[in-house]
């Protein structure tokens, strides 16, 4: 289940290495994705109109899926399913509870010492469990003026020592936009760490190009990148290379995963993920219980099983390879340990 097999090379990577071009070439048609994987016989099980959330997956990630395997853990994260149309009590459009605040201000200051900037609402991939499925906001979140307002707020609060860029995916922004933010950061001496939450180095490793690295590497503060990987098969040599470039630029690399039924809810899958991350120079950080987003109920793993999995994982791995099982609860002073 966690073999190093890269899967059949069904979609040779485009000769282009320009990440914007690769972004545009993502597969957005579920029928095409199934055909690429030799699974066209499953096309009649697709929900109409992608169940209201367009499928999107970069071709480089498709190349890491196993040909002919309808249970492939990468495919299950992106393929629209009929189960998404089920109405399940407790699974709502605003699962995290503060979407209005998010969209309006872009800056979330919930935990001591760190503030989180919704730098961008867009993303190169559409994970089926993403809370964005009900808030198809776009680039406007990072529109001009937005950061000035957020930076203004930060200037007036010297308790904030860490700025977190999140989204969406903050690396979906043009590097020139990130450079703008970097200039603003220079006016905030109390901020000693910049943290970026991103899945782009995994799903579109070409994003970690020399222009980005020049900017990132030159920032005169500590840098943390929290990646988002759910299964070992998401990592391949192109991702390892992107991670190595990020480390060379001075970043500490951590990973957060979401516990997903059918994808990684097995001790072999979780142990394999931790081992593979470490081999790529990345430490496991959080394993999240799913946000209860409408349309994602079929991914949920109940707490009893999640805790049993954690016990099994602790029995198998060194402590530093065991992520913390948490869930986000509105109003708490931190992520809540399960
Ligand atoms: C998750 C989150 C953070 C980061 O929490 P850590 O435990 O430091 O990783 C910060 N701010 C907000 C609003 C968050 O949701
Ligand atoms: S990478 Fe994150 S922001 Fe992008 S679709 Fe997946 S869960 Fe959502």
């Amino acid at each position: 289940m966690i073999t190093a097999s890269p899967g059949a090379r069904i979609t040779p990577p485009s000769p282009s290495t320009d990440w914007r071009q690769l972004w545009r070439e993502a597969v957005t048609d579920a029928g095409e994705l199934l055909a690429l994987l030799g699974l066209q016989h499953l096309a009649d099980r697709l929900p109409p109109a992608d169940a209201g959330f367009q499928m999107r997956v970069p071709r480089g990630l498709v190349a890491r899926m196993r040909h002919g395997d309808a249970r492939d853990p990468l495919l299950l994260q992106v393929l629209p399913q009929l189960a998404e149309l089920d109405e399940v009590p407790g699974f709502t459009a605003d699962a995290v509870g503060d979407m209005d605040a998010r969209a309006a201000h872009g800056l979330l200051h919930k935990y001591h010492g760190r503030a989180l900037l919704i730098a961008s609402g867009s993303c190169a991939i559409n994970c089926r469990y993403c809370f964005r499925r009900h808030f198809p906001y776009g680039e406007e979140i990072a529109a001009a003026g937005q950061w000035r307002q957020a930076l203004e707020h930060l200037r007036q609060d010297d308790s904030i020592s860490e700025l977190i860029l999140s989204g969406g995916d903050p690396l979906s922004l043009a590097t020139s936009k990130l450079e703008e933010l970097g200039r603003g950061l220079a006016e905030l001496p109390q901020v000693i760490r910049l943290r970026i939450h991103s899945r782009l180095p995994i799903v579109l490793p070409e994003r970690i190009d020399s222009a980005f690295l020049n900017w990132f590497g030159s920032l005169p503060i500590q840098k943390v990148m929290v990646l988002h990987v759910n299964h070992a098969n998401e990592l391949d040599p192109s991702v390892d290379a992107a991670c190595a470039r990020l480390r060379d630029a001075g970043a500490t690399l951590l990973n957060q995963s979401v516990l997903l039924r059918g994808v990684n809810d097995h001790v072999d899958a979780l142990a394999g993920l931790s081992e593979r991350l470490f081999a790529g120079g990345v430490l496991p950080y959080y394993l999240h219980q799913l946000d209860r987003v409408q349309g994602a109920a079929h991914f949920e793993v109940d707490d009893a099983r999640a805790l049993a999995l954690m016990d099994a994982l602790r029995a198998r791995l060194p402590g530093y390879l065991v992520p913390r099982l948490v869930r986000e609860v509105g109003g708490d002073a931190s992520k809540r340990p399960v």
Side-chain angles (χ1 to χ4, degrees), residues 53 122-127 129-132 167-169 199 228:
F53 184 49
S122 54
C123 190
I125 185 170
N126 281 341
C127 307
Y129 51 85
C130 183
F131 68 84
R132 287 167 53 254
D169 201 307
R199 188 151 158 78
H228 172 181

mmCIF file with all atom_site columns, all heavy atoms in Angstrom, residues 53 122-127 129-132 167-169 199 228, ligand 2:
data_model
loop_
_atom_site.group_PDB
_atom_site.id
_atom_site.type_symbol
_atom_site.label_atom_id
_atom_site.label_alt_id
_atom_site.label_comp_id
_atom_site.label_asym_id
_atom_site.label_entity_id
_atom_site.label_seq_id
_atom_site.pdbx_PDB_ins_code
_atom_site.Cartn_x
_atom_site.Cartn_y
_atom_site.Cartn_z
_atom_site.occupancy
_atom_site.B_iso_or_equiv
_atom_site.pdbx_formal_charge
_atom_site.auth_seq_id
_atom_site.auth_comp_id
_atom_site.auth_asym_id
_atom_site.auth_atom_id
_atom_site.pdbx_PDB_model_num
ATOM   1   N  N   . PHE A 1 53  ? -18.215 21.594 -7.165 1.00 0.00 ? 53  PHE A N   1
ATOM   2   C  CA  . PHE A 1 53  ? -16.838 22.017 -6.859 1.00 0.00 ? 53  PHE A CA  1
ATOM   3   C  C   . PHE A 1 53  ? -15.947 21.409 -7.926 1.00 0.00 ? 53  PHE A C   1
ATOM   4   O  O   . PHE A 1 53  ? -15.739 20.189 -7.958 1.00 0.00 ? 53  PHE A O   1
ATOM   5   C  CB  . PHE A 1 53  ? -16.457 21.512 -5.463 1.00 0.00 ? 53  PHE A CB  1
ATOM   6   C  CG  . PHE A 1 53  ? -15.094 21.933 -4.954 1.00 0.00 ? 53  PHE A CG  1
ATOM   7   C  CD1 . PHE A 1 53  ? -14.675 23.263 -5.008 1.00 0.00 ? 53  PHE A CD1 1
ATOM   8   C  CD2 . PHE A 1 53  ? -14.248 20.998 -4.375 1.00 0.00 ? 53  PHE A CD2 1
ATOM   9   C  CE1 . PHE A 1 53  ? -13.436 23.638 -4.498 1.00 0.00 ? 53  PHE A CE1 1
ATOM   10  C  CE2 . PHE A 1 53  ? -13.000 21.367 -3.855 1.00 0.00 ? 53  PHE A CE2 1
ATOM   11  C  CZ  . PHE A 1 53  ? -12.603 22.687 -3.921 1.00 0.00 ? 53  PHE A CZ  1
ATOM   12  N  N   . SER A 1 122 ? -6.952  31.222 -3.770 1.00 0.00 ? 122 SER A N   1
ATOM   13  C  CA  . SER A 1 122 ? -6.916  30.207 -4.831 1.00 0.00 ? 122 SER A CA  1
ATOM   14  C  C   . SER A 1 122 ? -5.895  29.121 -4.538 1.00 0.00 ? 122 SER A C   1
ATOM   15  O  O   . SER A 1 122 ? -5.075  29.220 -3.626 1.00 0.00 ? 122 SER A O   1
ATOM   16  C  CB  . SER A 1 122 ? -6.689  30.841 -6.202 1.00 0.00 ? 122 SER A CB  1
ATOM   17  O  OG  . SER A 1 122 ? -5.559  31.647 -6.186 1.00 0.00 ? 122 SER A OG  1
ATOM   18  N  N   . CYS A 1 123 ? -5.992  28.071 -5.317 1.00 0.00 ? 123 CYS A N   1
ATOM   19  C  CA  . CYS A 1 123 ? -5.153  26.908 -5.086 1.00 0.00 ? 123 CYS A CA  1
ATOM   20  C  C   . CYS A 1 123 ? -5.002  26.153 -6.408 1.00 0.00 ? 123 CYS A C   1
ATOM   21  O  O   . CYS A 1 123 ? -5.887  26.198 -7.259 1.00 0.00 ? 123 CYS A O   1
ATOM   22  C  CB  . CYS A 1 123 ? -5.793  26.012 -4.027 1.00 0.00 ? 123 CYS A CB  1
ATOM   23  S  SG  . CYS A 1 123 ? -4.695  24.699 -3.482 1.00 0.00 ? 123 CYS A SG  1
ATOM   24  N  N   . ALA A 1 124 ? -3.890  25.450 -6.564 1.00 0.00 ? 124 ALA A N   1
ATOM   25  C  CA  . ALA A 1 124 ? -3.605  24.741 -7.819 1.00 0.00 ? 124 ALA A CA  1
ATOM   26  C  C   . ALA A 1 124 ? -4.345  23.423 -7.916 1.00 0.00 ? 124 ALA A C   1
ATOM   27  O  O   . ALA A 1 124 ? -4.410  22.807 -8.977 1.00 0.00 ? 124 ALA A O   1
ATOM   28  C  CB  . ALA A 1 124 ? -2.101  24.488 -7.934 1.00 0.00 ? 124 ALA A CB  1
ATOM   29  N  N   . ILE A 1 125 ? -4.896  22.989 -6.773 1.00 0.00 ? 125 ILE A N   1
ATOM   30  C  CA  . ILE A 1 125 ? -5.569  21.694 -6.733 1.00 0.00 ? 125 ILE A CA  1
ATOM   31  C  C   . ILE A 1 125 ? -6.888  21.918 -5.997 1.00 0.00 ? 125 ILE A C   1
ATOM   32  O  O   . ILE A 1 125 ? -7.030  22.882 -5.250 1.00 0.00 ? 125 ILE A O   1
ATOM   33  C  CB  . ILE A 1 125 ? -4.685  20.651 -6.002 1.00 0.00 ? 125 ILE A CB  1
ATOM   34  C  CG1 . ILE A 1 125 ? -5.288  19.241 -6.041 1.00 0.00 ? 125 ILE A CG1 1
ATOM   35  C  CG2 . ILE A 1 125 ? -4.405  21.059 -4.569 1.00 0.00 ? 125 ILE A CG2 1
ATOM   36  C  CD1 . ILE A 1 125 ? -4.322  18.169 -5.541 1.00 0.00 ? 125 ILE A CD1 1
ATOM   37  N  N   . ASN A 1 126 ? -7.861  21.069 -6.241 1.00 0.00 ? 126 ASN A N   1
ATOM   38  C  CA  . ASN A 1 126 ? -9.072  21.108 -5.434 1.00 0.00 ? 126 ASN A CA  1
ATOM   39  C  C   . ASN A 1 126 ? -9.210  19.780 -4.699 1.00 0.00 ? 126 ASN A C   1
ATOM   40  O  O   . ASN A 1 126 ? -9.626  18.781 -5.285 1.00 0.00 ? 126 ASN A O   1
ATOM   41  C  CB  . ASN A 1 126 ? -10.307 21.385 -6.297 1.00 0.00 ? 126 ASN A CB  1
ATOM   42  C  CG  . ASN A 1 126 ? -10.445 22.858 -6.659 1.00 0.00 ? 126 ASN A CG  1
ATOM   43  O  OD1 . ASN A 1 126 ? -9.861  23.725 -6.011 1.00 0.00 ? 126 ASN A OD1 1
ATOM   44  N  ND2 . ASN A 1 126 ? -11.200 23.155 -7.707 1.00 0.00 ? 126 ASN A ND2 1
ATOM   45  N  N   . CYS A 1 127 ? -8.803  19.767 -3.439 1.00 0.00 ? 127 CYS A N   1
ATOM   46  C  CA  . CYS A 1 127 ? -8.984  18.577 -2.609 1.00 0.00 ? 127 CYS A CA  1
ATOM   47  C  C   . CYS A 1 127 ? -10.469 18.505 -2.261 1.00 0.00 ? 127 CYS A C   1
ATOM   48  O  O   . CYS A 1 127 ? -11.066 19.519 -1.897 1.00 0.00 ? 127 CYS A O   1
ATOM   49  C  CB  . CYS A 1 127 ? -8.159  18.669 -1.332 1.00 0.00 ? 127 CYS A CB  1
ATOM   50  S  SG  . CYS A 1 127 ? -6.407  19.009 -1.624 1.00 0.00 ? 127 CYS A SG  1
ATOM   51  N  N   . TYR A 1 129 ? -12.077 17.525 0.222  1.00 0.00 ? 129 TYR A N   1
ATOM   52  C  CA  . TYR A 1 129 ? -12.457 17.816 1.614  1.00 0.00 ? 129 TYR A CA  1
ATOM   53  C  C   . TYR A 1 129 ? -12.194 19.271 1.991  1.00 0.00 ? 129 TYR A C   1
ATOM   54  O  O   . TYR A 1 129 ? -12.357 19.657 3.139  1.00 0.00 ? 129 TYR A O   1
ATOM   55  C  CB  . TYR A 1 129 ? -11.665 16.890 2.566  1.00 0.00 ? 129 TYR A CB  1
ATOM   56  C  CG  . TYR A 1 129 ? -10.184 16.931 2.288  1.00 0.00 ? 129 TYR A CG  1
ATOM   57  C  CD1 . TYR A 1 129 ? -9.376  17.915 2.849  1.00 0.00 ? 129 TYR A CD1 1
ATOM   58  C  CD2 . TYR A 1 129 ? -9.601  16.016 1.411  1.00 0.00 ? 129 TYR A CD2 1
ATOM   59  C  CE1 . TYR A 1 129 ? -8.032  17.983 2.554  1.00 0.00 ? 129 TYR A CE1 1
ATOM   60  C  CE2 . TYR A 1 129 ? -8.249  16.073 1.113  1.00 0.00 ? 129 TYR A CE2 1
ATOM   61  C  CZ  . TYR A 1 129 ? -7.469  17.056 1.687  1.00 0.00 ? 129 TYR A CZ  1
ATOM   62  O  OH  . TYR A 1 129 ? -6.139  17.136 1.385  1.00 0.00 ? 129 TYR A OH  1
ATOM   63  N  N   . CYS A 1 130 ? -11.783 20.087 1.022  1.00 0.00 ? 130 CYS A N   1
ATOM   64  C  CA  . CYS A 1 130 ? -11.366 21.462 1.332  1.00 0.00 ? 130 CYS A CA  1
ATOM   65  C  C   . CYS A 1 130 ? -12.561 22.334 1.704  1.00 0.00 ? 130 CYS A C   1
ATOM   66  O  O   . CYS A 1 130 ? -13.602 22.276 1.055  1.00 0.00 ? 130 CYS A O   1
ATOM   67  C  CB  . CYS A 1 130 ? -10.670 22.064 0.120  1.00 0.00 ? 130 CYS A CB  1
ATOM   68  S  SG  . CYS A 1 130 ? -10.033 23.726 0.419  1.00 0.00 ? 130 CYS A SG  1
ATOM   69  N  N   . PHE A 1 131 ? -12.383 23.195 2.726  1.00 0.00 ? 131 PHE A N   1
ATOM   70  C  CA  . PHE A 1 131 ? -13.474 24.104 3.095  1.00 0.00 ? 131 PHE A CA  1
ATOM   71  C  C   . PHE A 1 131 ? -13.749 25.120 2.000  1.00 0.00 ? 131 PHE A C   1
ATOM   72  O  O   . PHE A 1 131 ? -14.823 25.703 1.947  1.00 0.00 ? 131 PHE A O   1
ATOM   73  C  CB  . PHE A 1 131 ? -13.179 24.806 4.437  1.00 0.00 ? 131 PHE A CB  1
ATOM   74  C  CG  . PHE A 1 131 ? -12.043 25.773 4.395  1.00 0.00 ? 131 PHE A CG  1
ATOM   75  C  CD1 . PHE A 1 131 ? -12.252 27.074 3.965  1.00 0.00 ? 131 PHE A CD1 1
ATOM   76  C  CD2 . PHE A 1 131 ? -10.762 25.393 4.783  1.00 0.00 ? 131 PHE A CD2 1
ATOM   77  C  CE1 . PHE A 1 131 ? -11.202 27.982 3.920  1.00 0.00 ? 131 PHE A CE1 1
ATOM   78  C  CE2 . PHE A 1 131 ? -9.704  26.289 4.723  1.00 0.00 ? 131 PHE A CE2 1
ATOM   79  C  CZ  . PHE A 1 131 ? -9.930  27.589 4.293  1.00 0.00 ? 131 PHE A CZ  1
ATOM   80  N  N   . ARG A 1 132 ? -12.778 25.309 1.100  1.00 0.00 ? 132 ARG A N   1
ATOM   81  C  CA  . ARG A 1 132 ? -12.977 26.266 0.002  1.00 0.00 ? 132 ARG A CA  1
ATOM   82  C  C   . ARG A 1 132 ? -14.083 25.839 -0.950 1.00 0.00 ? 132 ARG A C   1
ATOM   83  O  O   . ARG A 1 132 ? -14.534 26.642 -1.767 1.00 0.00 ? 132 ARG A O   1
ATOM   84  C  CB  . ARG A 1 132 ? -11.680 26.423 -0.810 1.00 0.00 ? 132 ARG A CB  1
ATOM   85  C  CG  . ARG A 1 132 ? -10.581 27.196 -0.137 1.00 0.00 ? 132 ARG A CG  1
ATOM   86  C  CD  . ARG A 1 132 ? -9.265  27.032 -0.866 1.00 0.00 ? 132 ARG A CD  1
ATOM   87  N  NE  . ARG A 1 132 ? -9.350  27.342 -2.276 1.00 0.00 ? 132 ARG A NE  1
ATOM   88  C  CZ  . ARG A 1 132 ? -9.350  26.435 -3.257 1.00 0.00 ? 132 ARG A CZ  1
ATOM   89  N  NH1 . ARG A 1 132 ? -9.240  25.148 -2.994 1.00 0.00 ? 132 ARG A NH1 1
ATOM   90  N  NH2 . ARG A 1 132 ? -9.448  26.802 -4.508 1.00 0.00 ? 132 ARG A NH2 1
ATOM   91  N  N   . GLY A 1 167 ? -4.159  30.173 3.286  1.00 0.00 ? 167 GLY A N   1
ATOM   92  C  CA  . GLY A 1 167 ? -5.114  30.473 2.220  1.00 0.00 ? 167 GLY A CA  1
ATOM   93  C  C   . GLY A 1 167 ? -6.326  29.575 2.302  1.00 0.00 ? 167 GLY A C   1
ATOM   94  O  O   . GLY A 1 167 ? -6.769  29.280 3.399  1.00 0.00 ? 167 GLY A O   1
ATOM   95  N  N   . GLY A 1 168 ? -6.702  29.022 1.167  1.00 0.00 ? 168 GLY A N   1
ATOM   96  C  CA  . GLY A 1 168 ? -6.094  28.905 -0.147 1.00 0.00 ? 168 GLY A CA  1
ATOM   97  C  C   . GLY A 1 168 ? -4.625  28.493 -0.052 1.00 0.00 ? 168 GLY A C   1
ATOM   98  O  O   . GLY A 1 168 ? -4.212  27.855 0.884  1.00 0.00 ? 168 GLY A O   1
ATOM   99  N  N   . ASP A 1 169 ? -3.908  28.807 -1.072 1.00 0.00 ? 169 ASP A N   1
ATOM   100 C  CA  . ASP A 1 169 ? -2.481  28.528 -1.043 1.00 0.00 ? 169 ASP A CA  1
ATOM   101 C  C   . ASP A 1 169 ? -1.703  29.807 -1.327 1.00 0.00 ? 169 ASP A C   1
ATOM   102 O  O   . ASP A 1 169 ? -1.803  30.361 -2.429 1.00 0.00 ? 169 ASP A O   1
ATOM   103 C  CB  . ASP A 1 169 ? -2.109  27.438 -2.051 1.00 0.00 ? 169 ASP A CB  1
ATOM   104 C  CG  . ASP A 1 169 ? -0.779  26.794 -1.685 1.00 0.00 ? 169 ASP A CG  1
ATOM   105 O  OD1 . ASP A 1 169 ? 0.196   27.554 -1.516 1.00 0.00 ? 169 ASP A OD1 1
ATOM   106 O  OD2 . ASP A 1 169 ? -0.726  25.558 -1.547 1.00 0.00 ? 169 ASP A OD2 1
ATOM   107 N  N   . ARG A 1 199 ? 0.654   23.642 -0.093 1.00 0.00 ? 199 ARG A N   1
ATOM   108 C  CA  . ARG A 1 199 ? 0.679   22.309 -0.725 1.00 0.00 ? 199 ARG A CA  1
ATOM   109 C  C   . ARG A 1 199 ? 1.313   22.390 -2.108 1.00 0.00 ? 199 ARG A C   1
ATOM   110 O  O   . ARG A 1 199 ? 1.516   21.382 -2.765 1.00 0.00 ? 199 ARG A O   1
ATOM   111 C  CB  . ARG A 1 199 ? -0.775  21.799 -0.810 1.00 0.00 ? 199 ARG A CB  1
ATOM   112 C  CG  . ARG A 1 199 ? -0.981  20.351 -1.257 1.00 0.00 ? 199 ARG A CG  1
ATOM   113 C  CD  . ARG A 1 199 ? -2.251  19.824 -0.630 1.00 0.00 ? 199 ARG A CD  1
ATOM   114 N  NE  . ARG A 1 199 ? -2.932  18.694 -1.221 1.00 0.00 ? 199 ARG A NE  1
ATOM   115 C  CZ  . ARG A 1 199 ? -2.575  17.400 -1.112 1.00 0.00 ? 199 ARG A CZ  1
ATOM   116 N  NH1 . ARG A 1 199 ? -1.469  17.062 -0.492 1.00 0.00 ? 199 ARG A NH1 1
ATOM   117 N  NH2 . ARG A 1 199 ? -3.326  16.465 -1.619 1.00 0.00 ? 199 ARG A NH2 1
ATOM   118 N  N   . HIS A 1 228 ? 1.676   20.123 3.073  1.00 0.00 ? 228 HIS A N   1
ATOM   119 C  CA  . HIS A 1 228 ? 0.431   19.372 3.260  1.00 0.00 ? 228 HIS A CA  1
ATOM   120 C  C   . HIS A 1 228 ? 0.515   18.130 2.380  1.00 0.00 ? 228 HIS A C   1
ATOM   121 O  O   . HIS A 1 228 ? 0.337   18.216 1.168  1.00 0.00 ? 228 HIS A O   1
ATOM   122 C  CB  . HIS A 1 228 ? -0.756  20.277 2.885  1.00 0.00 ? 228 HIS A CB  1
ATOM   123 C  CG  . HIS A 1 228 ? -2.089  19.604 2.849  1.00 0.00 ? 228 HIS A CG  1
ATOM   124 N  ND1 . HIS A 1 228 ? -3.248  20.272 2.511  1.00 0.00 ? 228 HIS A ND1 1
ATOM   125 C  CD2 . HIS A 1 228 ? -2.480  18.335 3.100  1.00 0.00 ? 228 HIS A CD2 1
ATOM   126 C  CE1 . HIS A 1 228 ? -4.270  19.433 2.545  1.00 0.00 ? 228 HIS A CE1 1
ATOM   127 N  NE2 . HIS A 1 228 ? -3.829  18.249 2.897  1.00 0.00 ? 228 HIS A NE2 1
HETATM 128 S  S1  . LIG B 2 .   ? -4.288  22.219 -0.876 1.00 0.00 ? 2   LIG B S1  1
HETATM 129 FE FE1 . LIG B 2 .   ? -5.374  23.069 0.873  1.00 0.00 ? 2   LIG B FE1 1
HETATM 130 S  S2  . LIG B 2 .   ? -6.341  24.940 0.082  1.00 0.00 ? 2   LIG B S2  1
HETATM 131 FE FE2 . LIG B 2 .   ? -5.756  23.696 -1.679 1.00 0.00 ? 2   LIG B FE2 1
HETATM 132 S  S3  . LIG B 2 .   ? -7.610  22.506 -2.120 1.00 0.00 ? 2   LIG B S3  1
HETATM 133 FE FE3 . LIG B 2 .   ? -6.298  21.236 -0.825 1.00 0.00 ? 2   LIG B FE3 1
HETATM 134 S  S4  . LIG B 2 .   ? -7.037  21.614 1.241  1.00 0.00 ? 2   LIG B S4  1
HETATM 135 FE FE4 . LIG B 2 .   ? -7.835  23.263 -0.059 1.00 0.00 ? 2   LIG B FE4 1
#
